[in-house]
Amino acid sequence: EAQVTQNPRYLITVTGKKLTVTCSQNMNHEYMSWYRQDPGLGLRQIYYSMNVEVTDKGDVPEGYKVSRKEKRNFPLILESPSPNQTSLYFCASRTTGGAGELFFGEGSRLTVL
Amino acid sequence: KQEVTQIPAALSVPEGENLVLNCSFTDSAIYNLQWFRQDPGKGLTSLLLIQSSQREQTSGRLNASLDKSSGRSTLYIAASQPGDSATYLCAVPNNDMRFGAGTRLTVKP
């Protein structure tokens, strides 16, 4: 089954404790991206990757890091989480070129105390 | 930079009504436009994908149209049901995907 898998789905952590949210897709997609969704602000892109070793900033990259060492994986790293990073996070993937359908993971709800 | 707007922000209708959700975008040079459904606290489910060369796409009671020249897309839902209650988002792909803020639909029994 074609899918985008995120882990963890739910996480409560404390300020400053590094964490990684993993994202994996099994569709051989070149393009992967991360979004955060906050009430009243909609979906905002954090980072995206056009292919392995190619990443670029989205609208709200501050406080986040990403890496793309393998085609299927695109982890989101919060080096020193802060309460304003409490949010619902989504990973998505599609083929490159812009014409492909975008597939989303189920989301990861992160709370930073 | 591409901007995507959805109107109305919220819509409440009685069961059985046909309804139209609107999506507009500022840059007509798009590859495609995608409609999603999101239930509260859940992920996004793809409903329809319209390629730039297409005028419309249908899936069951859903029909999406695309008019690139005017920068508009509509999602038509026929014979609405309470189970259609959700937020509907449209998105336009580029390297950075642009999403509308969504239309929150409530279908009352």
Side-chain angles (χ1 to χ4, degrees), chain B residues 39-90:
Chain B
D39 294 295
K42 304 291 187 183
L44 282 78
T45 300
S46 180
L47 297 174
L48 289 164
L49 172 70
I50 314 177
Q51 299 295 347
S52 60
S53 58
Q54 297 176 311
R55 295 283 295 188
E56 64 178 58
Q57 193 69 258
T58 298
S59 176
R61 294 183 293 108
L62 305 179
N63 176 278
S65 68
L66 176 64
D67 184 344
K68 276 180 54 177
S69 60
S70 68
R72 291 182 182 179
S73 176
T74 61
L75 180 66
Y76 175 83
I77 302 177
S80 59
Q81 303 170 358
D84 294 331
S85 298
T87 296
Y88 292 80
L89 298 100
C90 64

Side-chain angles (χ1 to χ4, degrees), chain A residues 31 35 37 43 45 48 50 59 88 90 94 97-106 109, chain B residues 1 31-32 34 36 38 41-44 46 49 51 89 93-99 101:
Chain A
Y31 178 97
Y35 305 85
Q37 187 176 39
L43 272 163
Q45 191 171 45
Y48 63 94
M50 299 293 283
D59 292 324
L88 180 59
F90 290 103
R94 62 169 166 80
E101 183 177 2
L102 191 67
F103 293 84
F104 276 87
E106 293 190 344
R109 184 168 293 282
Chain B
K1 210 170 192 180
Y31 291 104
N32 61 43
Q34 196 167 351
F36 294 89
Q38 186 178 28
K42 304 291 187 183
L44 282 78
S46 180
L49 172 70
Q51 299 295 347
L89 298 100
N94 200 335
N95 289 342
D96 53 338
M97 290 288 293
R98 290 288 152 187
F99 287 85

Side-chain angles (χ1 to χ4, degrees), chain A residues 20 46 59:
Chain A
T20 299
I46 304 171
D59 292 324

